[in-house]
Amino acid sequence: NFQKIILSESNMLNNLYRLYKNNSQKSPLEDFTTEAFAGILKFDPSLFHDFCVDFLGLKEGDFILKTQVKYQLKNDIDCIVDMVIESQDQICFIENKVDSKEGFRQLDRYSKVLDILQLQGKSTCLFFCTKNAEEKTIITHQFKQFRWFQLAKFVENHPSESAIKNDFLSFLKLKK
């Protein structure tokens, strides 16, 4: 028996997001986008390496990527960092925003955690990725700010070819 499978115009990430959104009280676009991006980075080692070195400007290393990492701060609100990229001697926090703004002293609290890690010998970076412009001035931890459209352009121009990468780009375009 042979069954014909018809592929829809939409892609896997859009379908998963729609399914999750329809079965949830809260729209998880920000976390979903973060996890989708982390997923393609984990799936494509050359894209991950080039994202770290060429896009973020980290020095060469064996990088690991974690998402939703919780750090406790003594006498302050705990932090849950969207993405943490780490190598033997460097650590990078990335906070992603889609349709929201920075949380209460969020980047300041992340800086406090990075201060502690810096004292332990790590080179530190803090990145703030937003959909809409939200200018921040932070003078520590090699702070850089970029927007989702810049990240999408980097992914789009990367020479790797994978269906998941193209799904991610379609997802970003659909969500503007």
Side-chain angles (χ1 to χ4, degrees):
N1 287 337
F2 177 78
Q3 236 178 353
K4 186 176 182 180
I5 298 173
I6 300 173
L7 297 175
S8 69
E9 291 286 325
S10 61
N11 67 44
M12 177 188 67
L13 294 175
N14 286 320
N15 291 339
L16 287 172
Y17 177 71
R18 190 178 317 106
L19 177 68
Y20 191 89
K21 183 178 176 184
N22 290 341
N23 292 299
S24 175
Q25 301 265 341
K26 175 183 153 193
S27 177
L29 183 58
E30 191 171 293
D31 289 340
F32 190 91
T33 304
T34 296
E35 293 300 328
F37 182 56
I40 69 162
L41 291 176
K42 289 177 180 179
F43 179 78
D44 187 336
S46 78
L47 178 63
F48 179 44
H49 173 271
D50 294 348
F51 172 70
C52 292
V53 175
D54 298 335
F55 188 83
L56 296 178
L58 302 178
K59 62 182 182 177
E60 291 284 342
D62 292 325
F63 301 107
I64 59 166
L65 170 63
K66 297 180 215 167
T67 58
Q68 307 304 320
V69 180
K70 185 174 183 175
Y71 292 90
Q72 292 182 322
L73 277 173
K74 192 174 185 173
N75 302 320
D76 207 341
I77 303 167
D78 293 342
C79 303
I80 299 176
V81 181
D82 290 334
M83 296 176 76
V84 176
I85 297 174
E86 191 170 5
S87 68
Q88 184 174 348
D89 58 350
Q90 56 191 333
I91 190 162
C92 168
F93 286 3
I94 302 173
E95 178 59 26
N96 295 317
K97 295 296 179 190
V98 176
D99 287 327
S100 63
K101 294 185 178 264
E102 177 191 5
F104 177 70
R105 296 182 28 255
Q106 194 171 20
L107 296 176
D108 289 337
R109 289 182 287 118
Y110 291 5
S111 289
K112 281 184 178 181
V113 173
L114 289 171
D115 288 343
I116 295 165
L117 294 169
Q118 199 171 43
L119 290 173
Q120 296 171 358
K122 291 273 189 181
S123 171
T124 57
C125 298
L126 177 59
F127 298 101
F128 190 50
C129 177
T130 59
K131 177 179 175 183
N132 303 311
E134 184 180 350
E135 293 302 316
K136 299 292 176 184
T137 305
I138 296 176
I139 57 171
T140 58
H141 306 295
Q142 300 177 46
F143 178 75
K144 291 181 189 168
Q145 195 166 348
F146 56 91
R147 301 209 12 230
W148 279 103
F149 80 88
Q150 293 168 297
L151 188 135
K153 187 167 283 302
F154 173 80
V155 171
E156 183 176 45
N157 291 330
H158 193 269
S160 67
E161 281 301 320
S162 68
I164 192 73
K165 174 184 128 174
N166 294 331
D167 272 359
F168 180 68
L169 291 169
S170 295
F171 176 76
L172 289 180
K173 286 177 187 169
L174 185 69
K175 298 302 176 196
K176 298 179 175 102

